[in-house]
Amino acid sequence: MNPILLVVGARPNFMKMAPLHSEIKKRNLPVLLLHTGQHYDEDMSKVFFDDLGMPEPDIYLGVGSASHAKQTAKIMIDFEEICIKEKPSIVVVAGDVNSTIACALVATKLSIPVGHVEAGLRSFDMNMPEEINRILTDRISNLLFTPSKDANENLINEGMNKESIKLVGNIMIDSLLNNIEKSSASKIHNKIKVEKENYALITLHRPSNVDYEDNLSRIVNAIEIISEDIKIVFPIHPRTANMIEKFGLESRINQIPNLVLTKPLGYLDFLALIKHSKVVLTDSGGLQEETTSLGIPCITLRDNTERPITIEQGTNVLVGNKTEKITIEWENICRNGGKSGRIPELWDGKTSERITNAIVDFLK
Ligand code: UD1
């Protein structure tokens, strides 16, 4: 059997591929792990391999940062050569980053089957580069691994073949459950001097929030107001750090006494921080799911989400990026503790097994 080629590129891919890589290895199937290098800083990439116990990639393309077109094109050129050389039996991509669509497009044009992990999610917001990546990747994938029923419905509404859709559950939760106990050894709370259960955690990196001065400034207003009530931990994504500098917001941010700024954190430290936070404020997709799984209230600083199940069943609330909407939701949580929520079906830690079964069946 030719190898199953798993693609990772950016931070949110690593926790989705680690459990799948491990499951495929466990079954002694041939597998190659390829990292495009879309994310390359040690704290955006290598630390996740270490924390997740994922071996070094077999192939590293080292494409780095660039405009959408340049980054996608560079990945495609290099990945085509790899596919021709390695002749994978299937290419498996995850999520919605540029590496996902780039590698799916190359493989499908070489008549190599494509599996898409986290298929069918839709924000219905074509201003998000991720939404474009999701729709196009799904359209050309042979196996569509969906995390929840809403994703199946989206794919069926788009006319995708029912046979190709496999409801397998949420693979991020495999990583979360595999690592939550290990994360209790993290010393991050001591290191950054915050008391467990008595801080808010914020992450920001969506271009719609951080690339526009007005929007970023409105969120900083909310941070100023909330920090009068509670310590706020803010691990800063490199895109956000660049924008804070560009808009000259550093001195304002540095003056907020209750704000703890850190570099991007590794997986285990970050899991420990989520688990013991009073509330999470975020524009990330994955964090909406991790908070639902851990029962932590989540205030999402976006107008839409491709993960509606976290609102319908979980602890998530959408508020956008207006100062007042954010602070009103914080006050609600202070008053009533936030939504309790429940864990969605098939978010059970066995998604990588179900995906591997489906791949094995498909390749028979
Ligand atoms: C990418 C994904 C986004 C995902 C996010 C998670 C796309 C279109 N976007 O966005 O879906 O939620 O990753 O982090 O694929 N940079 C560094 N070091 C790095 C990587 C990036 O300093 O290791 C800086 C560079 O200045 C770069 C900027 O961050 O230009 C943005 O990186 P990029 O990969 O283009 O997009 P993200 O915002 O990280």
Side-chain angles (χ1 to χ4, degrees), residues 120-139:
L121 298 186
R122 297 289 181 268
S123 66
F124 302 100
D125 176 359
M126 288 298 270
N127 290 316
M128 289 179 78
E130 293 82 2
E131 183 72 356
I132 301 166
N133 294 342
R134 286 180 201 116
I135 293 173
L136 298 183
T137 304
D138 284 341
R139 187 65 190 80

PDB file of all heavy atoms in Angstrom, residues 120-139:
ATOM      1  N   GLY A 120     -17.404  20.435   6.024  1.00  0.00           N
ATOM      2  CA  GLY A 120     -18.812  20.849   6.135  1.00  0.00           C
ATOM      3  C   GLY A 120     -19.091  22.030   7.035  1.00  0.00           C
ATOM      4  O   GLY A 120     -20.235  22.490   7.085  1.00  0.00           O
ATOM      5  N   LEU A 121     -18.095  22.564   7.732  1.00  0.00           N
ATOM      6  CA  LEU A 121     -18.370  23.728   8.581  1.00  0.00           C
ATOM      7  C   LEU A 121     -18.526  24.962   7.696  1.00  0.00           C
ATOM      8  O   LEU A 121     -17.783  25.146   6.740  1.00  0.00           O
ATOM      9  CB  LEU A 121     -17.247  23.937   9.599  1.00  0.00           C
ATOM     10  CG  LEU A 121     -17.036  22.812  10.602  1.00  0.00           C
ATOM     11  CD1 LEU A 121     -15.989  23.203  11.640  1.00  0.00           C
ATOM     12  CD2 LEU A 121     -18.340  22.450  11.299  1.00  0.00           C
ATOM     13  N   ARG A 122     -19.494  25.804   8.016  1.00  0.00           N
ATOM     14  CA  ARG A 122     -19.737  27.015   7.215  1.00  0.00           C
ATOM     15  C   ARG A 122     -20.084  28.184   8.122  1.00  0.00           C
ATOM     16  O   ARG A 122     -20.997  28.094   8.944  1.00  0.00           O
ATOM     17  CB  ARG A 122     -20.926  26.807   6.250  1.00  0.00           C
ATOM     18  CG  ARG A 122     -20.736  25.726   5.213  1.00  0.00           C
ATOM     19  CD  ARG A 122     -19.717  26.113   4.135  1.00  0.00           C
ATOM     20  NE  ARG A 122     -19.579  25.052   3.151  1.00  0.00           N
ATOM     21  CZ  ARG A 122     -18.669  24.060   3.211  1.00  0.00           C
ATOM     22  NH1 ARG A 122     -17.791  24.009   4.200  1.00  0.00           N
ATOM     23  NH2 ARG A 122     -18.618  23.135   2.282  1.00  0.00           N
ATOM     24  N   SER A 123     -19.386  29.306   7.907  1.00  0.00           N
ATOM     25  CA  SER A 123     -19.763  30.551   8.592  1.00  0.00           C
ATOM     26  C   SER A 123     -20.697  31.370   7.702  1.00  0.00           C
ATOM     27  O   SER A 123     -21.283  32.337   8.148  1.00  0.00           O
ATOM     28  CB  SER A 123     -18.519  31.370   8.912  1.00  0.00           C
ATOM     29  OG  SER A 123     -17.916  31.813   7.699  1.00  0.00           O
ATOM     30  N   PHE A 124     -20.792  30.980   6.422  1.00  0.00           N
ATOM     31  CA  PHE A 124     -21.558  31.719   5.413  1.00  0.00           C
ATOM     32  C   PHE A 124     -21.047  33.160   5.283  1.00  0.00           C
ATOM     33  O   PHE A 124     -21.798  34.066   4.970  1.00  0.00           O
ATOM     34  CB  PHE A 124     -23.067  31.673   5.714  1.00  0.00           C
ATOM     35  CG  PHE A 124     -23.561  30.254   5.780  1.00  0.00           C
ATOM     36  CD1 PHE A 124     -23.767  29.621   7.000  1.00  0.00           C
ATOM     37  CD2 PHE A 124     -23.770  29.525   4.615  1.00  0.00           C
ATOM     38  CE1 PHE A 124     -24.168  28.289   7.067  1.00  0.00           C
ATOM     39  CE2 PHE A 124     -24.178  28.192   4.663  1.00  0.00           C
ATOM     40  CZ  PHE A 124     -24.377  27.584   5.894  1.00  0.00           C
ATOM     41  N   ASP A 125     -19.770  33.347   5.533  1.00  0.00           N
ATOM     42  CA  ASP A 125     -19.156  34.673   5.463  1.00  0.00           C
ATOM     43  C   ASP A 125     -17.952  34.574   4.525  1.00  0.00           C
ATOM     44  O   ASP A 125     -16.861  34.160   4.927  1.00  0.00           O
ATOM     45  CB  ASP A 125     -18.723  35.094   6.879  1.00  0.00           C
ATOM     46  CG  ASP A 125     -17.993  36.424   6.896  1.00  0.00           C
ATOM     47  OD1 ASP A 125     -17.803  37.019   5.815  1.00  0.00           O
ATOM     48  OD2 ASP A 125     -17.599  36.865   7.999  1.00  0.00           O
ATOM     49  N   MET A 126     -18.189  34.968   3.269  1.00  0.00           N
ATOM     50  CA  MET A 126     -17.131  34.814   2.271  1.00  0.00           C
ATOM     51  C   MET A 126     -16.023  35.861   2.428  1.00  0.00           C
ATOM     52  O   MET A 126     -15.059  35.872   1.672  1.00  0.00           O
ATOM     53  CB  MET A 126     -17.712  34.861   0.858  1.00  0.00           C
ATOM     54  CG  MET A 126     -18.507  33.637   0.488  1.00  0.00           C
ATOM     55  SD  MET A 126     -17.509  32.121   0.486  1.00  0.00           S
ATOM     56  CE  MET A 126     -16.931  32.115  -1.208  1.00  0.00           C
ATOM     57  N   ASN A 127     -16.147  36.767   3.428  1.00  0.00           N
ATOM     58  CA  ASN A 127     -15.024  37.672   3.697  1.00  0.00           C
ATOM     59  C   ASN A 127     -13.920  36.968   4.471  1.00  0.00           C
ATOM     60  O   ASN A 127     -12.825  37.509   4.618  1.00  0.00           O
ATOM     61  CB  ASN A 127     -15.501  38.875   4.527  1.00  0.00           C
ATOM     62  CG  ASN A 127     -16.387  39.762   3.699  1.00  0.00           C
ATOM     63  OD1 ASN A 127     -16.081  40.041   2.538  1.00  0.00           O
ATOM     64  ND2 ASN A 127     -17.512  40.169   4.263  1.00  0.00           N
ATOM     65  N   MET A 128     -14.243  35.776   5.011  1.00  0.00           N
ATOM     66  CA  MET A 128     -13.214  35.035   5.751  1.00  0.00           C
ATOM     67  C   MET A 128     -12.435  34.170   4.765  1.00  0.00           C
ATOM     68  O   MET A 128     -13.045  33.345   4.071  1.00  0.00           O
ATOM     69  CB  MET A 128     -13.863  34.096   6.776  1.00  0.00           C
ATOM     70  CG  MET A 128     -14.503  34.778   7.949  1.00  0.00           C
ATOM     71  SD  MET A 128     -15.250  33.513   9.022  1.00  0.00           S
ATOM     72  CE  MET A 128     -13.809  32.872   9.869  1.00  0.00           C
ATOM     73  N   PRO A 129     -11.117  34.310   4.738  1.00  0.00           N
ATOM     74  CA  PRO A 129     -10.355  33.431   3.837  1.00  0.00           C
ATOM     75  C   PRO A 129     -10.627  31.954   4.136  1.00  0.00           C
ATOM     76  O   PRO A 129     -10.654  31.120   3.226  1.00  0.00           O
ATOM     77  CB  PRO A 129      -8.893  33.785   4.124  1.00  0.00           C
ATOM     78  CG  PRO A 129      -8.881  34.632   5.348  1.00  0.00           C
ATOM     79  CD  PRO A 129     -10.249  35.221   5.510  1.00  0.00           C
ATOM     80  N   GLU A 130     -10.881  31.658   5.407  1.00  0.00           N
ATOM     81  CA  GLU A 130     -11.123  30.259   5.804  1.00  0.00           C
ATOM     82  C   GLU A 130     -12.389  29.702   5.162  1.00  0.00           C
ATOM     83  O   GLU A 130     -12.450  28.516   4.858  1.00  0.00           O
ATOM     84  CB  GLU A 130     -11.253  30.144   7.327  1.00  0.00           C
ATOM     85  CG  GLU A 130      -9.983  30.436   8.110  1.00  0.00           C
ATOM     86  CD  GLU A 130      -9.727  31.912   8.334  1.00  0.00           C
ATOM     87  OE1 GLU A 130     -10.567  32.747   7.904  1.00  0.00           O
ATOM     88  OE2 GLU A 130      -8.688  32.256   8.922  1.00  0.00           O
ATOM     89  N   GLU A 131     -13.420  30.552   4.983  1.00  0.00           N
ATOM     90  CA  GLU A 131     -14.670  30.060   4.410  1.00  0.00           C
ATOM     91  C   GLU A 131     -14.436  29.636   2.945  1.00  0.00           C
ATOM     92  O   GLU A 131     -14.951  28.614   2.494  1.00  0.00           O
ATOM     93  CB  GLU A 131     -15.751  31.146   4.501  1.00  0.00           C
ATOM     94  CG  GLU A 131     -17.124  30.734   4.000  1.00  0.00           C
ATOM     95  CD  GLU A 131     -17.865  29.745   4.919  1.00  0.00           C
ATOM     96  OE1 GLU A 131     -17.301  29.298   5.927  1.00  0.00           O
ATOM     97  OE2 GLU A 131     -19.025  29.424   4.590  1.00  0.00           O
ATOM     98  N   ILE A 132     -13.641  30.418   2.250  1.00  0.00           N
ATOM     99  CA  ILE A 132     -13.306  30.073   0.859  1.00  0.00           C
ATOM    100  C   ILE A 132     -12.544  28.739   0.853  1.00  0.00           C
ATOM    101  O   ILE A 132     -12.854  27.835   0.069  1.00  0.00           O
ATOM    102  CB  ILE A 132     -12.454  31.206   0.234  1.00  0.00           C
ATOM    103  CG1 ILE A 132     -13.234  32.529   0.276  1.00  0.00           C
ATOM    104  CG2 ILE A 132     -12.017  30.852  -1.189  1.00  0.00           C
ATOM    105  CD1 ILE A 132     -12.388  33.763   0.011  1.00  0.00           C
ATOM    106  N   ASN A 133     -11.577  28.626   1.755  1.00  0.00           N
ATOM    107  CA  ASN A 133     -10.786  27.388   1.822  1.00  0.00           C
ATOM    108  C   ASN A 133     -11.666  26.177   2.141  1.00  0.00           C
ATOM    109  O   ASN A 133     -11.492  25.101   1.562  1.00  0.00           O
ATOM    110  CB  ASN A 133      -9.681  27.509   2.876  1.00  0.00           C
ATOM    111  CG  ASN A 133      -8.629  28.548   2.499  1.00  0.00           C
ATOM    112  OD1 ASN A 133      -8.520  28.944   1.339  1.00  0.00           O
ATOM    113  ND2 ASN A 133      -7.857  29.002   3.473  1.00  0.00           N
ATOM    114  N   ARG A 134     -12.632  26.366   3.055  1.00  0.00           N
ATOM    115  CA  ARG A 134     -13.512  25.244   3.443  1.00  0.00           C
ATOM    116  C   ARG A 134     -14.345  24.769   2.260  1.00  0.00           C
ATOM    117  O   ARG A 134     -14.416  23.574   1.963  1.00  0.00           O
ATOM    118  CB  ARG A 134     -14.512  25.702   4.519  1.00  0.00           C
ATOM    119  CG  ARG A 134     -13.940  25.898   5.865  1.00  0.00           C
ATOM    120  CD  ARG A 134     -15.058  26.354   6.831  1.00  0.00           C
ATOM    121  NE  ARG A 134     -14.423  26.999   7.951  1.00  0.00           N
ATOM    122  CZ  ARG A 134     -14.553  28.283   8.287  1.00  0.00           C
ATOM    123  NH1 ARG A 134     -15.374  29.082   7.639  1.00  0.00           N
ATOM    124  NH2 ARG A 134     -13.880  28.761   9.291  1.00  0.00           N
ATOM    125  N   ILE A 135     -15.014  25.725   1.618  1.00  0.00           N
ATOM    126  CA  ILE A 135     -15.951  25.363   0.543  1.00  0.00           C
ATOM    127  C   ILE A 135     -15.197  24.665  -0.599  1.00  0.00           C
ATOM    128  O   ILE A 135     -15.623  23.627  -1.099  1.00  0.00           O
ATOM    129  CB  ILE A 135     -16.685  26.619   0.025  1.00  0.00           C
ATOM    130  CG1 ILE A 135     -17.601  27.165   1.124  1.00  0.00           C
ATOM    131  CG2 ILE A 135     -17.474  26.323  -1.252  1.00  0.00           C
ATOM    132  CD1 ILE A 135     -18.255  28.493   0.788  1.00  0.00           C
ATOM    133  N   LEU A 136     -14.070  25.245  -0.980  1.00  0.00           N
ATOM    134  CA  LEU A 136     -13.342  24.680  -2.125  1.00  0.00           C
ATOM    135  C   LEU A 136     -12.734  23.320  -1.779  1.00  0.00           C
ATOM    136  O   LEU A 136     -12.751  22.405  -2.602  1.00  0.00           O
ATOM    137  CB  LEU A 136     -12.264  25.658  -2.593  1.00  0.00           C
ATOM    138  CG  LEU A 136     -12.789  27.007  -3.091  1.00  0.00           C
ATOM    139  CD1 LEU A 136     -11.651  27.873  -3.590  1.00  0.00           C
ATOM    140  CD2 LEU A 136     -13.826  26.830  -4.199  1.00  0.00           C
ATOM    141  N   THR A 137     -12.221  23.189  -0.575  1.00  0.00           N
ATOM    142  CA  THR A 137     -11.624  21.898  -0.187  1.00  0.00           C
ATOM    143  C   THR A 137     -12.699  20.811  -0.163  1.00  0.00           C
ATOM    144  O   THR A 137     -12.494  19.703  -0.687  1.00  0.00           O
ATOM    145  CB  THR A 137     -10.937  22.010   1.194  1.00  0.00           C
ATOM    146  OG1 THR A 137      -9.974  23.056   1.132  1.00  0.00           O
ATOM    147  CG2 THR A 137     -10.256  20.710   1.587  1.00  0.00           C
ATOM    148  N   ASP A 138     -13.841  21.129   0.420  1.00  0.00           N
ATOM    149  CA  ASP A 138     -14.916  20.120   0.468  1.00  0.00           C
ATOM    150  C   ASP A 138     -15.332  19.700  -0.934  1.00  0.00           C
ATOM    151  O   ASP A 138     -15.569  18.515  -1.195  1.00  0.00           O
ATOM    152  CB  ASP A 138     -16.137  20.682   1.224  1.00  0.00           C
ATOM    153  CG  ASP A 138     -15.903  20.703   2.729  1.00  0.00           C
ATOM    154  OD1 ASP A 138     -14.999  19.985   3.189  1.00  0.00           O
ATOM    155  OD2 ASP A 138     -16.619  21.445   3.429  1.00  0.00           O
ATOM    156  N   ARG A 139     -15.406  20.680  -1.823  1.00  0.00           N
ATOM    157  CA  ARG A 139     -15.913  20.403  -3.175  1.00  0.00           C
ATOM    158  C   ARG A 139     -15.062  19.370  -3.909  1.00  0.00           C
ATOM    159  O   ARG A 139     -15.569  18.626  -4.747  1.00  0.00           O
ATOM    160  CB  ARG A 139     -15.978  21.734  -3.963  1.00  0.00           C
ATOM    161  CG  ARG A 139     -16.624  21.666  -5.299  1.00  0.00           C
ATOM    162  CD  ARG A 139     -18.107  21.322  -5.180  1.00  0.00           C
ATOM    163  NE  ARG A 139     -18.682  21.019  -6.494  1.00  0.00           N
ATOM    164  CZ  ARG A 139     -18.554  19.857  -7.117  1.00  0.00           C
ATOM    165  NH1 ARG A 139     -17.862  18.868  -6.568  1.00  0.00           N
ATOM    166  NH2 ARG A 139     -19.107  19.673  -8.296  1.00  0.00           N
TER     167      ARG A 139
END
